[in-house]
Amino acid sequence: MNAIVISCGTELVTGQCVDTNSAWLSTRLTAVGVHVVGHVTVGDDAARLSAAIRRALDEAELVIITGGLGPTPDDLTREAIAEAIHEPLQENAEALSQIRGFFERWQRPMPESNRRQAMTPRGCEVIANSRGTAPGILYRKDHRRLYALPGVPAELKAMFDSALAPMLDELSGGSRIESARLPCFGISEARLGDVLADLMRPGRNPAVGTTASQAILSIRVLAHGSSQAEARRLLDNDVAEIRRRVGEPIFGEGEDTLEGVVGALLRARGETISVAESCTGGLLAKRLTDIPGSSDYFLQGYITYSNASKMDLLGVPQALLTEHGAVSEAVARAMAAGCRERAGTDYAIAITGIAGPTGGSPPSHPVGLVYIALAHSGGVEVVRHLLGEHLTRDEVRDRACKVALNMLRLQLVARSGGPP
Amino acid sequence: MNAIVISCGTELVTGQCVDTNSAWLSTRLTAVGVHVVGHVTVGDDAARLSAAIRRALDEAELVIITGGLGPTPDDLTREAIAEAIHEPLQENAEALSQIRGFFERWQRPMPESNRRQAMTPRGCEVIANSRGTAPGILYRKDHRRLYALPGVPAELKAMFDSALAPMLDELSGGSRIESARLPCFGISEARLGDVLADLMRPGRNPAVGTTASQAILSIRVLAHGSSQAEARRLLDNDVAEIRRRVGEPIFGEGEDTLEGVVGALLRARGETISVAESCTGGLLAKRLTDIPGSSDYFLQGYITYSNASKMDLLGVPQALLTEHGAVSEAVARAMAAGCRERAGTDYAIAITGIAGPTGGSPPSHPVGLVYIALAHSGGVEVVRHLLGEHLTRDEVRDRACKVALNMLRLQLVARSGGPP
């Protein structure tokens, strides 16, 4: 089944809002085997929206419109559908009763303007909205279906789950799809491509692909089966094979993050962490404490931006700073050791580097040069990375934190007896 | 001038990535008076992309494609343009030399696969890419223009600024649009609406509107004039009037951020700042050090997540923690005072609170309760905020940092003799 998603709103075509609904819908549609062939966005313009609807109904069996169902005059989806399917708008008694019911539950009087939301093209069905006033609309013609859903994400998602998901499950019938994502860090996309070449060949089932975003690579596996059990078996086989071939760079599954995985490992081991940050300026601590409950293992952090603070807070000897400079292996090592000792934690991470855009002095000290040190009971490991002068300040800081979290992850995995 | 933005990528139509490029481009196009009539997204499918290009060229004078210019076989924008405009693909010597140049600067060998990126449809122009290997493509036919730009946001933005922005400025010619954004913090949108009601009435020139995002309100002003000078004069009049009416909540203009404005004020005054963070876990320091050159005024920070670290690093008396709890006015005050003294800075900010989702104990200590203290030469100010139990952990931490930065801003502005 082919699908097209149409988003409606002037705030989208002027760029004031980013359209996240289309991606959300596409994820859900793709997961049940629907082939989303395109997204279309138009402003609050009934003629353009109507033309987009007609064209989409020609090209796809399933068309989903989001937005334009509100009570104000710039909400034109009802009119556009009516025009596209050549039916008049009529007040729908069921829709009106749903809208009245919403205001009764909310214990507020219904403004007259909300009555507009009960207008639907003749012959269309109404879909209940559990989270707001705008009823959805369903138009069926032969094997084609057009759904109009609200643009407010919470209302859209609730209505999709109640009205579309069961229909899609039914339509997908025997044939089932199961999918997985394996996030990786510390391996290049080219290397992944080599290792997984035979699994990634076009047309194979399961389909295996890789995508990269902010230095995190994702291996995505999509398995089709004649039953859910078959799809799951195919998926599990591939996931196991991929884990075997790629090994340690795979740090989790699904929506796992490096900070989440590191946090779970620390919690499981009952161990603690502290950080000492120079160029990342708090970002590493922020990431670690993004995780609810991180106070169980994250105790404290030092942001030592100045040389004086590296000496005062971490006990880095002045001689080291003078001899090697603040961005050096020796200083990273002393920062991590000082941090671990003073914070009294099992692990300590230190980062010092040149985030840019200024402050670099190539070739020895370009922007993107970072030293990352991990102190633990066995000593202090230090790595030097040239993250690349083409990266922005934000990117240098992001990458440095990811390298640091991954060093800690590998140490924790090794101490826990290797990957699960 | 009408424009259509086409985004290309299977990761978009399957929902694995949210398309932010279209919104970014639309903001820039709208700002110079281009009317964006639609966005279209298609997967890595040369036939569908080619059909979308043909249709867009029929409907709009300006068509911008993002994505599909990479070196791998699923990058099909070059082929789709060639098909849409009925011209063969040829290796473009200028494009090849740009790609070779990129690898030379990066000091890496050029993989053979990158040679594909030098293929362009006959008669098209090549656009230099300062941030990556993919050259852009420009096709002109009569008064219509088709631009193909890279999908990587940093490359897209750099190429837009270098190649499209000057052309758009030129094309917008006689009738001119000038726009401004005044970002505000610490005032409600309803209050802004009251204060600016007469300026915001529909149809007025300049158009004045407000939008809210992550607790930052933006007042946007868009002035049309028969000349750039007239548009600028209308804009400047409105901006001055709005500044007069709204006053201190306006913290800057354009893309100014609270951390950027605070940094500029500190730099201008030659003063320094340190921070002590509990629930924000490094986010405030991260924001302050997002600004290049912030090492001139940001010296150090303490992330005191545990009670022990509040005592050890900041000298908070154990008795205060026992009597009032870590999330209290007394502890926030002691954290800020201890931070300022130990760091030896002119100002120090301390934040302690309950970021959630767990850890709240309503009604006295709900999720979203934060105490923020600012220490300076005149003493320590503390504010208590109930940020709201409906906020996520990320939102509580974000809002707490913004309140803190705004407190510092108002203190710096007062010491500098009031708003400019």
Side-chain angles (χ1 to χ4, degrees):
Chain A
M1 183 191 268
N2 281 356
I4 289 177
V5 176
I6 302 177
S7 305
C8 173
T10 295
E11 73 280 11
L12 300 173
V13 288
T14 56
Q16 294 172 304
C17 293
V18 171
D19 170 26
T20 55
N21 286 342
S22 297
W24 186 86
L25 284 169
S26 298
T27 307
R28 295 295 301 269
L29 294 169
T30 302
V32 292
V34 174
H35 182 208
V36 180
V37 297
H39 301 165
V40 176
T41 306
V42 293
D44 298 320
D45 177 327
R48 286 193 188 276
L49 178 54
S50 169
I53 292 169
R54 270 196 305 271
R55 194 182 277 163
L57 282 170
D58 282 346
E59 294 183 7
E61 293 96 60
L62 175 63
V63 176
I64 302 180
I65 308 171
T66 66
L69 293 179
T72 56
D74 57 355
D75 290 304
L76 298 165
T77 296
R78 291 173 290 264
E79 285 77 1
I81 297 174
E83 194 184 319
I85 67 172
H86 307 295
E87 294 286 354
L89 277 182
Q90 300 176 330
E91 187 170 273
N92 184 302
E94 185 186 341
L96 187 60
S97 121
Q98 284 176 16
I99 298 166
R100 285 198 199 286
F102 181 85
F103 282 98
E104 275 160 26
R105 286 196 305 280
W106 208 25
Q107 300 178 17
R108 309 238 173 143
M110 183 182 110
E112 194 53 30
S113 58
N114 285 93
R115 199 161 178 135
R116 272 194 85 220
Q117 298 183 296
M119 301 297 290
T120 51
R122 188 171 62 188
C124 289
E125 298 161 44
V126 162
I127 309 170
N129 184 337
S130 60
R131 311 268 318 235
T133 60
I137 296 172
L138 166 58
Y139 165 72
R140 300 172 196 251
K141 175 94 184 273
D142 309 325
H143 62 296
R144 290 171 197 273
R145 288 162 189 249
L146 166 73
Y147 286 88
L149 307 180
V152 177
E155 299 180 26
L156 166 72
K157 292 173 185 179
M159 197 178 284
F160 183 92
D161 284 337
S162 67
L164 270 84
M167 177 279 287
L168 291 167
D169 275 347
E170 199 178 304
L171 283 183
S172 67
S175 167
R176 294 291 314 184
I177 293 191
E178 293 280 329
S179 68
R181 168 184 179 253
L182 299 172
C184 311
F185 187 82
I187 184 170
S188 74
E189 195 162 14
R191 172 86 187 121
L192 262 192
D194 288 346
V195 169
L196 304 176
D198 56 318
L199 306 181
M200 291 175 72
R201 65 174 189 273
R204 180 178 175 276
N205 179 33
V208 176
T210 63
T211 55
S213 176
Q214 299 293 320
I216 301 289
L217 296 172
S218 298
I219 307 170
R220 296 181 191 273
V221 188
L222 197 70
H224 294 249
S226 57
S227 66
Q228 184 164 16
E230 192 199 347
R232 171 54 59 181
R233 186 180 55 73
L234 287 167
L235 185 85
D236 290 346
N237 282 349
D238 258 29
V239 165
E241 177 64 17
I242 292 167
R243 284 191 180 280
R244 199 184 60 70
R245 293 192 195 179
V246 178
E248 272 186 339
I250 296 177
F251 63 78
E253 57 185 40
E255 296 309 306
D256 280 349
T257 60
L258 283 168
E259 52 270 26
V261 168
V262 159
L265 285 164
L266 286 168
R267 180 186 300 281
R269 297 177 56 81
E271 293 178 327
T272 55
I273 174 83
S274 57
V275 301
E277 302 184 60
S278 186
C279 66
T280 48
L283 180 59
L284 179 59
K286 185 265 178 195
R287 292 261 166 95
L288 284 162
T289 61
D290 275 342
I291 309 300
S294 46
S295 54
D296 291 347
Y297 50 82
F298 180 83
L299 302 191
Q300 66 191 55
Y302 302 87
I303 301 161
T304 53
Y305 229 50
S306 64
N307 277 353
S309 64
K310 291 178 182 73
M311 295 187 279
D312 292 351
L313 299 181
L314 303 171
V316 176
Q318 176 141 30
L320 275 190
L321 287 160
T322 310
E323 189 180 343
H324 300 279
V327 180
S328 62
E329 179 178 333
V331 167
R333 184 181 295 277
M335 285 172 67
C339 181
R340 179 169 181 268
E341 187 195 328
R342 297 192 176 200
T345 49
D346 296 298
Y347 305 92
I349 297 175
I351 304 180
T352 180
I354 302 165
T358 58
S361 45
S364 67
H365 288 71
V367 166
L369 171 66
V370 293
Y371 290 90
I372 300 170
L374 171 63
H376 49 69
S377 60
V380 183
E381 306 166 36
V382 190
V383 296
R384 173 179 184 272
H385 272 267
L386 285 168
L387 296 170
E389 289 183 81
H390 59 292
L391 295 187
T392 63
R393 181 177 178 85
D394 282 351
E395 288 167 340
V396 168
R397 290 164 32 117
D398 170 73
R399 303 301 186 273
C401 287
K402 284 173 176 159
V403 170
L405 289 168
N406 198 49
M407 277 176 80
L408 175 57
R409 177 180 75 89
L410 293 176
Q411 178 65 226
L412 289 166
V413 166
R415 286 172 179 243
S416 306
Chain B
M1 182 193 266
N2 282 356
I4 290 177
V5 177
I6 301 176
S7 305
C8 171
T10 295
E11 72 281 12
L12 300 173
V13 288
T14 55
Q16 293 171 305
C17 293
V18 170
D19 170 26
T20 55
N21 286 342
S22 296
W24 185 87
L25 284 169
S26 297
T27 306
R28 296 294 302 266
L29 295 169
T30 302
V32 293
V34 173
H35 182 207
V36 180
V37 298
H39 302 165
V40 176
T41 307
V42 294
D44 298 320
D45 176 327
R48 285 192 189 276
L49 178 55
S50 169
I53 292 169
R54 268 196 306 272
R55 193 182 279 163
L57 283 170
D58 282 344
E59 295 182 8
E61 292 96 60
L62 175 63
V63 176
I64 301 180
I65 308 171
T66 65
L69 294 178
T72 57
D74 56 357
D75 290 304
L76 297 166
T77 296
R78 292 172 291 263
E79 284 77 0
I81 296 174
E83 194 184 319
I85 66 173
H86 308 292
E87 294 287 353
L89 277 181
Q90 301 177 329
E91 187 170 275
N92 183 301
E94 186 187 339
L96 187 59
S97 123
Q98 285 176 16
I99 299 165
R100 285 198 199 285
F102 181 85
F103 282 98
E104 275 160 26
R105 286 194 305 279
W106 206 25
Q107 300 178 20
R108 309 231 174 150
M110 183 182 111
E112 194 53 29
S113 56
N114 286 91
R115 199 161 178 136
R116 274 195 82 222
Q117 297 183 294
M119 299 299 287
T120 51
R122 187 172 62 188
C124 289
E125 297 161 46
V126 162
I127 308 172
N129 183 337
S130 59
R131 310 264 327 228
T133 59
I137 296 173
L138 165 59
Y139 165 72
R140 301 172 195 251
K141 175 92 183 276
D142 309 325
H143 62 296
R144 291 173 195 273
R145 287 162 188 251
L146 167 74
Y147 286 88
L149 307 181
V152 177
E155 298 180 27
L156 165 72
K157 292 173 186 180
M159 198 179 284
F160 183 92
D161 284 337
S162 67
L164 271 84
M167 178 279 288
L168 290 168
D169 276 346
E170 199 177 306
L171 283 184
S172 63
S175 167
R176 293 291 314 186
I177 294 187
E178 291 281 328
S179 67
R181 168 184 179 253
L182 300 172
C184 311
F185 187 83
I187 185 172
S188 74
E189 195 162 16
R191 172 87 187 121
L192 263 191
D194 288 346
V195 169
L196 304 177
D198 55 317
L199 307 181
M200 291 174 72
R201 64 174 191 272
R204 181 177 175 277
N205 178 35
V208 176
T210 63
T211 54
S213 175
Q214 300 292 318
I216 301 288
L217 295 173
S218 299
I219 306 170
R220 295 181 191 275
V221 187
L222 197 70
H224 294 250
S226 57
S227 66
Q228 182 164 18
E230 191 199 348
R232 172 52 61 182
R233 186 179 56 72
L234 287 167
L235 185 84
D236 289 347
N237 281 349
D238 259 28
V239 166
E241 177 65 17
I242 292 167
R243 283 192 181 279
R244 199 183 60 69
R245 294 191 194 179
V246 178
E248 270 187 341
I250 296 177
F251 63 77
E253 57 184 42
E255 296 308 305
D256 280 350
T257 59
L258 283 167
E259 52 270 26
V261 168
V262 158
L265 285 164
L266 286 168
R267 180 187 300 281
R269 298 177 55 82
E271 292 178 328
T272 55
I273 174 83
S274 58
V275 301
E277 303 184 59
S278 186
C279 66
T280 48
L283 180 59
L284 179 60
K286 185 263 179 197
R287 292 261 167 95
L288 283 162
T289 61
D290 276 341
I291 309 300
S294 47
S295 55
D296 291 346
Y297 49 84
F298 180 84
L299 301 191
Q300 65 191 56
Y302 303 86
I303 302 161
T304 53
Y305 228 52
S306 63
N307 278 352
S309 64
K310 291 179 182 71
M311 296 187 279
D312 292 351
L313 299 181
L314 302 171
V316 176
Q318 176 142 29
L320 275 189
L321 287 159
T322 310
E323 189 181 343
H324 301 278
V327 180
S328 61
E329 179 178 333
V331 167
R333 184 181 295 277
M335 286 171 67
C339 181
R340 180 168 181 267
E341 186 196 329
R342 296 190 177 201
T345 49
D346 296 297
Y347 305 91
I349 297 174
I351 303 181
T352 179
I354 304 165
T358 57
S361 44
S364 66
H365 288 71
V367 165
L369 171 67
V370 293
Y371 289 91
I372 300 170
L374 171 64
H376 49 70
S377 60
V380 183
E381 306 165 36
V382 189
V383 296
R384 173 178 184 275
H385 273 267
L386 286 168
L387 296 170
E389 288 183 82
H390 59 291
L391 296 187
T392 63
R393 180 177 178 86
D394 282 351
E395 287 168 339
V396 168
R397 290 164 33 117
D398 170 73
R399 301 302 186 272
C401 288
K402 283 174 177 159
V403 170
L405 289 167
N406 198 49
M407 277 176 80
L408 175 57
R409 177 180 75 89
L410 293 176
Q411 179 63 226
L412 289 166
V413 166
R415 287 174 178 241
S416 306

